[in-house]
Amino acid sequence: GNSVTQMEGPVTLSEEAFLTINCTYTATGYPSLFWYVQYPGEGLQLLLKATKADDKGSNKGFEATYRKETTSFHLEKGSVQVSDSAVYFCALSDQSDSWGKFQFGAGTQVVVTP
Amino acid sequence: DAMVIQNPRYQVTQFGKPVTLSCSQTLNHNVMYWYQQKSSQAPKLLFHYYDKDFNNEADTPDNFQSRRPNTSFCFLDIRSPGLGDAAMYLCATSRGLETSAIYEQYFGPGTRLTVT
């Protein structure tokens, strides 16, 4: 079945540092890939997505590229802010398996200090 | 703004006392989902509705039920809450479920349930 593996957190960074959160996946078909962000006490917000190989999703300074050859979708941001402190979830959805049900990774907590 | 709304944001109930959580959406989406999220974990899908078609995940306890009286509203009923049901409950919507497209899910802010 499908699965998503994320790097464990917490990831602690200083403001303006470079952020990378690794995400790899296994899928039976050709999934779409997503990054969601969850701020404390809130629901999940879609951060970015990519629907096919080599697509790059980007939003709010975050980027991730769909790499089919390495089955990865790593999230990056060049200069983080304290307001980026949150939990980040990588997810996939594959309509060839389980009607397109979302499979979430375990989440990676990011803490940015001033 | 079109959105997913959950009420209440915080709910306290007693062990064994039925509780209902509500979700409404102004997105006019066909699909509505209920997830359970425990601390520091990924959301766990409980069930979803595609229009009026109800789909239960195989491992969702019978204690959890859902109703969708119309396109805009969906309810989560916990018939006899146990201490292990304390969690954040997230409602989400998506435009559809098709073989030709995958639609992102839009989440509400969640209801944090405490069981005393």
Side-chain angles (χ1 to χ4, degrees):
Chain A
N2 296 340
S3 68
V4 176
T5 303
Q6 287 181 238
M7 62 188 287
E8 285 190 26
V11 174
T12 303
L13 303 161
S14 298
E15 209 164 20
E16 299 183 3
F18 185 89
L19 170 68
T20 299
I21 305 175
N22 289 340
C23 171
T24 57
Y25 68 89
T26 58
T28 52
Y30 301 95
S32 292
L33 301 173
F34 304 84
W35 276 102
Y36 279 83
V37 58
Q38 185 175 32
Y39 299 102
E42 298 293 327
L44 278 67
Q45 299 175 25
L46 178 66
L47 186 56
L48 51 84
K49 68 177 183 179
T51 58
K52 61 183 187 297
D54 300 325
D55 267 2
K56 177 187 279 188
S58 61
N59 186 25
K60 299 181 182 179
F62 290 90
E63 291 183 343
T65 301
Y66 188 162
R67 301 282 188 205
K68 190 167 183 291
E69 64 276 12
T70 54
T71 61
S72 65
F73 192 54
H74 304 322
L75 183 68
E76 297 181 334
K77 186 175 185 184
S79 177
V80 293
Q81 306 299 312
V82 172
S83 57
D84 294 323
S85 298
V87 180
Y88 293 80
F89 291 94
C90 185
L92 71 80
S93 183
D94 176 6
Q95 68 255 54
S96 68
D97 178 53
S98 300
W99 55 264
K101 174 180 173 179
F102 271 50
Q103 188 74 42
F104 288 93
T108 302
Q109 184 181 12
V110 172
V111 177
V112 181
T113 58
Chain B
D1 281 344
M3 55 199 307
V4 182
I5 302 157
Q6 290 189 245
N7 286 307
R9 293 292 309 273
Y10 301 91
Q11 176 75 57
V12 180
T13 191
Q14 292 178 332
F15 182 95
K17 184 174 181 182
V19 65
T20 295
L21 310 182
S22 72
C23 176
S24 63
Q25 54 128 342
T26 61
L27 296 158
N28 204 32
H29 283 172
N30 291 324
V31 191
M32 295 186 78
Y33 309 82
W34 279 105
Y35 288 87
Q36 180 192 64
Q37 186 182 28
K38 295 193 175 179
S39 194
S40 305
Q41 295 182 20
K44 177 180 181 299
L45 183 64
L46 296 173
F47 23 61
H48 76 277
Y49 274 95
Y50 185 16
D51 290 332
K52 287 194 175 297
D53 290 337
F54 176 72
N55 296 271
N56 206 29
E57 291 299 294
D59 57 355
T60 298
D62 292 341
N63 198 24
F64 291 86
Q65 304 286 320
S66 185
R67 297 170 283 135
R68 188 179 185 187
N70 54 51
T71 300
S72 301
F73 285 87
C74 196
F75 300 98
L76 170 63
D77 300 310
I78 308 177
R79 292 193 297 192
S80 182
L83 297 178
D85 296 327
M88 174 80 94
Y89 290 87
L90 297 167
C91 174
T93 72
S94 69
R95 230 169 84 186
L97 296 171
E98 299 172 11
T99 56
S100 59
I102 289 176
Y103 299 105
E104 57 262 37
Q105 294 185 14
Y106 295 82
F107 284 80
T111 295
R112 181 161 298 283
L113 179 69
T114 301
V115 181
T116 60

